Amino acid sequence: MEQKTFNTSYAVRDIAQISLMAAIVFVATKLTGIPVGLGYKGFVHAGDAMVFVAAIILRRKNAVIASALGMGLFDLLSTAPAWAPFTLIIKGVMAYLAATIAYRNNYNGESIVNNIFGFIVGGIWMIGAYYFAGVFLDHYLMGFPWSQCWILQATHIGEDVAQVIVGMIIAVPLSKVLKRIKYFREM
C-alpha cells in the first residue's frame, strides 16, 4: 500500500498566518472605531488598513480568508450582526482585488504605485458593495421604502471613502516595512 504524504508545515504555517492576521484585522477594527453619522450606528476604523496589509504580506488566498474572518467576526460580535454575511464577502473580495493587483506582472507586492492602485480598486469595490448591501438591509431589515434606502445609504459614502483613504495612508508604509522583513519576502 502506497503511503501519501504532504507538507504539514505549510498547512500549519497558513493556519497560523490566517489566524494571526484575522485577529489583527479584528483588533484594528475594534480599537480604532470612531462613530459617525447622525442617528446611524456607522463608524470609521483602521481595519481596512490591515486588510490592505494582509493583501501585501499574505498574498491572495490567505489575505482573503484572514480579512473576511477578521471583519466578519467583528460584525458578528458588534451591534450589527446582520452585516456579517455581507462583510465576509465584501472584505474577502476587497483583499482579493488588492492582492491580485499587487502581485500582477511580477511586482510581488513591492511596487508602491501598483499597491496603491490595488488598494484603490479594492476600496472602490468596498464602497460600492457596502452601498448596495446597506440599501438591501435598510429595505428588508428596517422596512424603509426603496426610494429612501438609496438616499440614506448615499449619505454614508463619504465615511467609506474616508475609511479607505485612512487605510491606504496606514497600509502603504506599513506594508513596505513588512515586505523588507525576510520572513515576508519568502512567502
Side-chain angles (χ1 to χ4, degrees):
M1 174 178 230
E2 184 178 328
Q3 188 176 28
K4 295 182 181 180
T5 61
F6 61 96
N7 186 353
T8 56
S9 64
Y10 180 77
V12 171
R13 181 176 169 174
D14 280 348
I15 292 168
Q17 289 173 347
I18 291 167
S19 301
L20 181 60
M21 198 66 214
I24 291 169
V25 169
F26 174 84
V27 169
T29 307
K30 181 74 171 168
L31 295 182
T32 63
I34 301 168
V36 292
L38 298 172
Y40 184 74
K41 294 182 180 182
F43 59 95
V44 175
H45 56 77
D48 286 351
M50 297 305 109
V51 170
F52 293 145
V53 168
I56 302 303
I57 65 170
L58 297 184
R59 298 188 184 206
R60 204 170 27 209
K61 180 183 76 171
N62 291 356
V64 167
I65 297 168
S67 300
L69 288 177
M71 288 286 197
L73 183 61
F74 172 79
D75 277 354
L76 197 59
L77 299 175
S78 74
T79 58
W83 283 92
F86 297 99
T87 296
L88 281 169
I89 295 167
I90 292 168
K91 296 300 180 172
V93 172
M94 181 180 174
Y96 178 85
L97 292 170
T100 299
I101 292 170
Y103 282 86
R104 71 188 171 117
N105 297 335
N106 296 320
Y107 282 117
N108 297 322
E110 295 173 1
S111 167
I112 292 175
V113 173
N114 193 53
N115 293 352
I116 291 172
F117 178 62
F119 298 164
I120 290 170
V121 171
I124 290 170
W125 154 260
M126 184 208 77
I127 293 164
Y130 270 124
Y131 176 77
F132 287 108
V135 168
F136 178 84
L137 286 174
D138 281 347
H139 181 72
Y140 288 107
L141 192 63
M142 304 301 288
F144 296 137
W146 283 110
S147 59
Q148 290 178 2
C149 297
W150 296 106
I151 295 167
L152 178 62
Q153 285 305 311
T155 64
H156 303 294
I157 293 174
E159 299 159 7
D160 289 342
V161 170
Q163 187 168 293
V164 169
I165 291 170
V166 168
M168 288 176 18
I169 289 169
I170 295 168
V172 168
L174 184 58
S175 61
K176 183 175 174 72
V177 168
L178 291 174
K179 280 298 280 186
R180 288 185 179 170
I181 296 172
K182 183 181 178 200
Y183 174 78
F184 295 115
R185 284 192 311 237
E186 294 173 354
M187 293 167 58

